[in-house]
Amino acid sequence: DGGITQSPKYLFRKEGQNVTLSCEQNLNHDAMYWYRQDPGQGLRLIYYSQIVNDFQKGDIAEGYSVSREKKESFPLTVTSAQKNPTAFYLCASSIGGTSYNEQVFGPGTRLTVL
Amino acid sequence: KQEVTQIPAALSVPEGENLVLNCSFTDSAIYNLQWFRQDPGKGLTSLLLIQSSQREQTSGRLNASLDKSSGRSTLYIAASQPGDSATYLCAVGAGTALIFGKGTTLSVSS
């Protein structure tokens, strides 16, 4: 079955640590996205990539970094510069690189800072 | 800047009731509007996608309408069931990524 996988499901980070969240899709989609969700809030865009080896910052990119070396993979690194990283992180993908195309979402990773 | 608002924030209804969830947006220049369902601790499941040229979409007991000129969309759920309990998010497509509302949390009691 085609879809998006995210790992791990739960992640715990100590102060000062960098952690990497995995996102893989087998839908042959060109575009991939990372969103952050805080309790009682809508999703906010962190980074997006419309094509391999290219990505752009979203609304809240500070303290995060990404790479897009393969079409199917779009890992997100939460760096120590992100002061309040505890949140639910959702990865999505779409056929094209604009919101004209329907986005499919993964199951999410919950990150907690200890 | 596009803003998306969902009212009410929470809703409790008895099983079998028909209900309407509301979504409003400030800029009518959108590609589409998408309704999602989110269960606690889970990802988003797409329910309905309405392109800007369409007025409504239907799937089973769900019907979503779109009025671009007034900046409004509604999600109608017929004959609600306890399994419909979840948070419902609407999002508008305008540019690269989706812009989300904060959601309506629905509780259907048996």
Side-chain angles (χ1 to χ4, degrees):
Chain A
D1 287 338
I4 299 176
T5 57
Q6 291 187 242
S7 62
K9 185 174 182 179
Y10 299 98
L11 186 58
F12 299 92
R13 192 192 93 165
K14 294 181 180 179
E15 293 286 347
Q17 268 187 339
N18 293 351
V19 292
T20 298
L21 284 61
S22 171
C23 177
E24 303 274 336
Q25 54 98 0
N26 62 3
L27 300 165
N28 199 33
H29 283 174
D30 289 315
M32 297 186 74
Y33 310 82
W34 275 105
Y35 292 90
R36 169 179 171 145
Q37 185 178 34
D38 294 284
Q41 301 294 317
L43 280 67
R44 293 180 292 168
L45 182 67
I46 304 172
Y47 267 98
Y48 65 96
S49 169
Q50 296 174 304
I51 196 169
V52 174
N53 292 323
D54 186 53
F55 49 83
Q56 283 80 39
K57 295 180 179 179
D59 299 324
I60 55 166
E62 184 175 353
Y64 300 97
S65 66
V66 294
S67 63
R68 186 85 187 278
E69 298 177 359
K70 298 186 296 183
K71 185 176 184 177
E72 59 270 24
S73 178
F74 191 40
L76 173 73
T77 296
V78 185
T79 74
S80 57
Q82 171 49 239
K83 298 307 179 186
N84 185 24
T86 295
F88 191 50
Y89 291 86
L90 289 155
C91 179
S93 69
S94 63
I95 293 175
T98 73
S99 58
Y100 180 82
N101 305 108
E102 183 176 10
Q103 291 188 17
V104 178
F105 282 78
T109 291
R110 184 165 301 281
L111 173 62
T112 302
V113 175
L114 300 175
Chain B
K1 182 182 176 182
Q2 178 76 263
E3 293 183 1
V4 179
T5 303
Q6 291 187 248
I7 295 174
L11 181 63
S12 293
V13 300
E15 182 177 6
E17 193 162 298
N18 301 326
L19 58 99
V20 174
L21 307 181
N22 296 293
C23 174
S24 62
F25 48 95
T26 55
D27 188 341
S28 62
I30 64 172
Y31 292 131
N32 51 48
L33 186 141
Q34 200 165 350
W35 282 94
F36 294 91
R37 169 183 172 139
Q38 185 176 32
D39 293 294
K42 305 292 186 182
L44 275 62
T45 300
S46 180
L47 298 173
L48 291 164
L49 170 69
I50 312 174
Q51 297 293 354
S52 61
S53 59
Q54 298 174 320
R55 296 284 294 185
E56 64 178 330
Q57 283 284 349
T58 298
S59 176
R61 295 183 292 110
L62 305 179
N63 176 275
S65 68
L66 175 63
D67 184 343
K68 259 186 34 172
S69 61
S70 67
R72 296 177 187 274
S73 176
T74 61
L75 179 66
Y76 175 83
I77 301 177
S80 58
Q81 303 171 356
D84 294 330
S85 298
T87 296
Y88 292 80
L89 296 163
C90 77
V92 298
T96 302
L98 297 173
I99 301 168
F100 284 82
K102 295 181 180 181
T104 294
T105 298
L106 173 66
S107 176
V108 181
S109 56
S110 56

